[in-house]
Amino acid sequence: MGSKPVALPTGSYLDQQGKYKGILGWLTSTDHKRIAILYLSCIAIFFLVGATLGGIMKLELLKAGQQYFGPQTYNGFFTVHGIIMIFMVVIPGLSAVFGNFFLPIMIGAKDVAFPRLNLFSWYIYLAGSAIAIYSQFGGHGAPDTGWTFYAPYSINTNTNVIPAVLAAFVLGFSSILTGLNFIVTIHRMRAKGMTWFKMPLFPWSIYATAWIQVLATPIIGITLLMVIAERTLRIGFFDPSLGGDPILYQHLFWIYSHPAVYIMILPAMGVITEIIPTFCQRNVFGYKAIAFSSMAIAGVGYLVWGHHMFTSGMSNFARIAFSFLTFVVAIPSAIKVFNWITTMYKGSILVRTPFLYTLSFIFLFMIGGLTGLTLGSLAINVHVHDTYYVVAHFHYIVFGGMGFAFFAAIHYWFPKMFGRMYKERLGNIAWGIVFGGFNLLYFPMFVLGLQGMPRRYFDYLPEYSTGQFISSIGAFVLITGLILMVYNLVRSARKGELAPMNPWNGQTLEWTIASPPPLENFDREIVITESPYNYK
Amino acid sequence: MDHNTLEEHEHRDDVGSKLGMWIFIFTELLLFGGLFLVYAVLRAKYFQDFHVAAHQLNVFIGSINTLALLVSSMTIAMSITAIQKNQKKVALILLSITFFLAFIFLVNKYFEWGLKIHHHLYPGSDLVLTLTHGEILFFGLYFFMTGLHALHIIIGMSLIGVVIFKVKNDKIRSDNFQLLENAGLYWHLVDLIWIFLFPLLYLIT
């Protein structure tokens, strides 16, 4: 540790005196807050690795033709980028870090329902990540299937697909156990008097997410096991040369992987719903509508997987049904956006770093959501299917949505988690660069997609040069901003000014305890009598 | 100074841990659900081949295994009642019977698989690859589904083993038997899945 201007108060979870001290004390701790920090450090590292891989791809795409490496390496890069970002960063991201840290505190509990299972989930996550990293180096080269492992290519390619698939399976197991733990925690451990509708909205979103984790993940689990069996035993479930059906693979894959998008975005919406009332000092508008819309998104989100397969061969009725259901998901999402905007109305808005990220979340999420609607329309989908339009759309949702919500959350809760303040000015500058770089990187991709640039391609025709060039410049601006943000946070976690108990004048339970919180969160029994948002 | 009080003060919530177990069982059912879906699709596509291939399975061994699992499910349920009534010895006997029947199941499976492999009827064998598409897929599904189920038997046996050990050491008592109940729930799940596998693979010919 560097020199500290002032020492943190003792007795916080950060200097917990358990059986072991130092690093072992962290690795054996069943405290939900310490486990959250363990997840945070892993996810931050994996995110930076994934972002670097993305940056390398943009470097290659800066100009037409081959620059630094060949197409096979490029295929490996985008596959690995996808696996890291999807399975190791955005799916666990918000719920494993902020769900673990703040869910028990916000419902007035001392810990989650199964603390040892919680630590075990982290070890499973670590094991899965280790296998994923191994898949990049062992065997006959990095997997080149894309993160979707589409059969029958994933069965026939010589690259290291089995470890990559196994990693996704193991990571899924960790996700199931985390979700199970949160469901039981919310059902059993809410503070006295905290009825379902007195629960803050972040726990609500975690609750909806947890059900998706529990109900959708087993399907990808069995599908991935079948791919492994196909490769090792030549069974032929999905291999047409042995009588199997590759479309069946796509159905099973997207039955999980589309709901997985909601595993990413629902906690993000929960975070935004916590930040807006605090920085506007206003009660949440339409509390119940936001709570129910989370559950509605979780429910309808199951029924839309077919929109990934409009061009792979489906009956016309199925295509119309999936298109319709896709539109239906937009309704609860829009309900949330309207409620956020209405909450801000006539509020005394304090524009600090977390709020800047929140505003940009709404902006980017709306672009991502509306382009999602155009992709859900059958005719347009056929035109832009598997083009850069799709790439732009899901980056706006996944990075612009989940990613920006993560940045908002880390700035919002930073004082509570580490007991110190970050540098506000630096945080705002970093936000500006990240936001600008993001749009410069991904917006041209919409245009490229409409022009016809296919996704996953290593090279492109000269007419796409301008768009690719602007996009590549954006990538480097974005990475600069990210480095600045990480620097600010890492430095402040060690040397920042001491944070007060409630720097933003928030109303939920986490702001009523010390920063950083003590070991068992509350020294008294909590009794709830009022709604969680109660601004005058 | 705060000590790690989490270990010291015992947090116990029987209803919570039962709820957790039920949710986990739900995920296991969905895991097998994916396989049943694949079975249904492929059977619809190749019903004639499935019909022919299913004749190769030995209904007798399958029935014995079904019987073994059904009885073991009963004995583990009875052991829960025995513990509730403070009859440690009876509970131990009943749990040992459960464990033994599970072992019988695996021995049977070993002979059944061994015979198939002896006849070159395993996925990817030269013989199987000369069969029709539907028959290849049937044997693939047979080995995959029963293999995954056997893996669950082994996990269940380890769980029952732990429970036996804990009953012996009085860690599981009439006032604290949630682990035994959860092991019972898991074992019923293993039984239940077999009840679906048996007719799908052995009986519908």
Side-chain angles (χ1 to χ4, degrees):
Chain A
M1 295 290 252
S3 63
K4 294 179 196 169
V6 199
L8 281 173
T10 51
S12 81
Y13 79 101
L14 287 170
D15 60 9
Q16 166 187 354
Q17 299 289 309
K19 224 186 289 175
Y20 304 100
K21 289 191 170 55
I23 192 85
L24 258 183
W26 284 88
L27 294 178
T28 58
S29 172
T30 54
D31 180 15
H32 65 101
K33 299 182 283 299
R34 289 201 155 199
I35 294 170
I37 302 289
L38 291 177
Y39 272 113
L40 176 65
S41 8
C42 294
I43 285 171
I45 291 167
F46 295 144
F47 172 73
L48 291 177
V49 173
T52 309
L53 289 172
I56 293 173
M57 281 190 277
K58 292 315 296 185
L59 202 64
E60 172 61 41
L61 292 170
L62 191 66
K63 279 188 285 180
Q66 179 169 334
Q67 318 295 322
Y68 308 101
F69 45 80
Q72 185 60 27
T73 316
Y74 183 83
N75 291 349
F77 276 144
F78 77 67
T79 303
V80 177
H81 171 78
I83 294 172
I84 291 180
M85 286 305 204
I86 299 280
F87 293 114
M88 286 150 72
V89 177
V90 293
I91 290 182
L94 282 163
S95 59
V97 178
F98 299 105
N100 252 323
F101 201 107
F102 289 104
L103 169 69
I105 302 182
M106 288 172 98
I107 63 172
K110 290 184 176 205
D111 207 315
V112 291
F114 311 116
R116 273 184 299 177
L117 184 70
N118 201 9
L119 181 67
F120 183 55
S121 307
W122 181 72
Y123 276 104
I124 298 177
Y125 169 77
L126 210 61
S129 305
I131 301 171
I133 291 162
Y134 162 75
S135 77
Q136 317 317 316
F137 303 110
H140 302 277
D144 56 352
T145 55
W147 75 277
T148 50
F149 309 116
Y150 270 0
Y153 183 70
S154 61
I155 293 154
N156 298 322
T157 170
N158 281 325
T159 54
N160 216 8
V161 171
I162 291 181
V165 169
L166 186 68
F169 176 81
V170 174
L171 290 165
F173 198 62
S174 162
S175 177
I176 288 178
L177 292 179
T178 306
L180 186 157
N181 211 338
F182 287 166
I183 292 175
V184 177
T185 307
I186 291 174
H187 272 272
R188 302 287 305 162
M189 300 185 72
R190 276 171 289 138
K192 218 172 171 185
M194 184 178 278
T195 56
W196 282 95
F197 293 115
K198 284 186 184 136
M199 189 164 76
L201 287 159
F202 180 64
W204 261 108
S205 70
I206 291 286
Y207 183 68
T209 310
W211 275 112
I212 310 180
Q213 285 176 303
V214 163
L215 295 180
T217 320
I219 311 286
I220 190 89
I222 195 68
T223 312
L224 296 174
L225 285 184
M226 279 191 259
V227 170
I228 294 177
E230 295 256 292
R231 283 186 68 95
T232 49
L233 306 171
R234 296 204 62 201
I235 290 181
F237 296 128
F238 309 126
D239 186 349
S241 69
L242 293 172
D245 188 350
I247 303 286
L248 187 59
Y249 175 84
Q250 292 193 20
H251 277 294
L252 288 171
F253 180 82
W254 287 113
I255 284 174
Y256 164 75
S257 296
H258 197 83
V261 175
Y262 301 107
I263 299 182
M264 306 162 195
I265 203 70
L266 276 170
M269 292 165 156
V271 165
I272 299 306
T273 315
E274 292 300 328
I275 294 177
I276 288 179
T278 303
F279 285 95
C280 300
Q281 296 292 303
R282 291 268 294 161
N283 296 338
V284 166
F285 178 84
Y287 170 96
K288 280 194 182 173
I290 294 187
F292 283 130
S293 63
S294 290
M295 297 309 280
I297 291 174
V300 185
Y302 270 98
L303 310 173
V304 302
W305 77 86
H307 68 216
H308 293 266
M309 301 162 62
F310 283 153
T311 60
S312 348
M314 253 200 293
S315 75
N316 278 337
F317 174 75
R319 294 208 273 179
I320 293 165
F322 279 123
S323 180
F324 173 73
L325 287 165
T326 304
F327 287 168
V328 171
V329 192
I331 296 170
S333 313
I335 288 176
K336 281 184 195 286
V337 174
F338 291 137
N339 280 325
W340 293 328
I341 305 290
T342 318
T343 305
M344 288 183 217
Y345 178 66
K346 281 190 179 171
S348 62
I349 296 177
L350 191 63
V351 184
R352 309 291 285 271
T353 322
F355 199 70
L356 285 172
Y357 280 108
T358 301
L359 290 176
S360 36
F361 167 91
I362 297 177
F363 179 76
L364 300 174
F365 178 72
M366 272 171 43
I367 295 181
L370 292 171
T371 53
L373 282 180
T374 58
L375 278 171
S377 328
L378 285 173
I380 301 176
N381 185 289
V382 172
H383 178 65
V384 293
H385 202 92
D386 270 346
T387 65
Y388 264 47
Y389 192 86
V390 179
V391 180
H393 157 70
F394 71 69
H395 277 96
Y396 264 85
I397 288 286
V398 175
F399 190 178
M402 185 279 172
F404 273 68
F406 194 96
F407 301 152
I410 189 80
H411 285 92
Y412 177 58
W413 279 316
F414 187 87
K416 185 56 66 184
M417 295 171 88
F418 298 99
R420 295 179 184 282
M421 300 298 288
Y422 52 83
K423 287 255 185 287
E424 171 102 24
R425 225 174 109 79
L426 202 56
N428 290 348
I429 293 170
W431 165 81
I433 301 174
V434 168
F435 183 71
F438 179 92
N439 285 297
L440 207 56
L441 166 56
Y442 295 113
F443 198 82
M445 290 191 183
F446 282 122
V447 183
L448 285 170
L450 288 172
Q451 286 175 332
M453 167 88 205
R455 69 194 275 202
R456 299 199 175 110
Y457 275 34
F458 155 76
D459 197 8
Y460 48 86
L461 297 171
E463 53 261 44
Y464 304 126
S465 304
T466 323
Q468 289 284 9
F469 183 74
I470 298 173
S471 170
S472 289
I473 299 296
F476 301 114
V477 178
L478 177 63
I479 286 180
T480 315
L482 289 176
I483 291 170
L484 198 61
M485 183 186 76
V486 172
Y487 163 78
N488 183 20
L489 293 177
V490 171
R491 187 190 161 281
S492 305
R494 293 158 147 217
K495 299 182 187 170
E497 267 176 64
L498 288 188
M501 188 193 256
N502 191 355
W504 322 121
N505 192 22
Q507 295 263 332
T508 38
L509 280 175
E510 78 268 31
W511 304 113
T512 63
I513 56 174
S515 320
L519 182 61
E520 286 196 327
N521 306 339
F522 302 98
D523 46 10
R524 64 206 150 85
E525 205 191 340
I526 304 287
V527 182
I528 305 290
T529 50
E530 288 175 323
S531 95
Y533 310 98
N534 214 358
Y535 296 95
K536 291 288 170 291
Chain B
M1 184 59 69
D2 260 318
H3 283 261
N4 197 343
T5 40
L6 284 176
E7 311 316 319
E8 289 157 22
H9 118 266
E10 193 201 6
H11 163 77
R12 196 179 130 198
D13 178 2
D14 287 353
V15 181
S17 61
K18 203 194 274 182
L19 180 64
M21 194 65 202
W22 270 110
I23 296 173
F24 183 70
I25 284 176
F26 227 55
T27 67
E28 289 271 26
L29 282 176
L30 285 164
L31 185 83
F32 277 93
L35 267 180
F36 288 135
L37 204 71
V38 171
Y39 176 93
V41 169
L42 295 178
R43 189 185 179 92
K45 209 169 164 187
Y46 302 106
F47 66 96
Q48 201 68 44
D49 295 345
F50 270 50
H51 172 80
V52 174
H55 277 296
Q56 297 296 322
L57 299 189
N58 189 330
V59 180
F60 181 68
I61 298 186
S63 311
I64 296 218
N65 272 349
T66 310
L67 208 64
L69 278 189
L70 282 174
V71 174
S72 70
S73 228
M74 180 182 76
T75 51
I76 201 165
M78 285 163 75
S79 77
I80 298 171
T81 316
I83 274 291
Q84 283 169 327
K85 291 184 170 173
N86 244 333
Q87 295 165 330
K88 181 177 161 189
K89 212 166 222 163
V90 181
L92 274 176
I93 294 170
L94 286 164
L95 281 169
S96 311
I97 294 174
T98 314
F99 191 86
F100 178 71
L101 286 170
F103 182 69
I104 293 284
F105 182 97
L106 285 182
V107 170
N108 265 336
K109 188 101 273 164
Y110 169 78
F111 283 118
E112 200 184 5
W113 274 32
L115 212 64
K116 289 276 165 318
I117 291 168
H118 182 73
H119 290 137
H120 292 276
L121 283 175
Y122 54 88
S125 76
D126 299 334
L127 177 68
V128 163
L129 289 179
T130 60
L131 300 175
T132 61
H133 280 167
E135 286 169 328
I136 296 176
L137 289 169
F138 181 85
F139 287 114
L141 274 169
Y142 164 75
F143 274 96
F144 192 71
M145 290 173 114
T146 56
L148 193 65
H149 180 258
L151 184 69
H152 280 76
I153 296 262
I154 293 168
I155 296 167
M157 281 172 80
S158 341
L159 198 58
I160 294 168
V162 171
V163 166
I164 291 177
F165 188 72
K166 289 208 164 181
V167 171
K168 239 180 204 158
N169 292 340
D170 282 325
K171 290 265 168 56
I172 293 177
R173 296 178 310 267
S174 60
D175 59 341
N176 186 4
F177 56 86
Q178 197 46 55
L179 185 68
L180 170 57
E181 207 171 353
N182 281 347
L185 281 175
Y186 190 80
W187 195 248
H188 294 323
L189 164 85
V190 173
D191 180 30
L192 179 79
I193 290 170
W194 180 256
I195 299 288
F196 283 112
L197 287 181
F198 178 57
L200 283 183
L201 293 171
Y202 293 77
L203 297 182
I204 315 177
T205 54

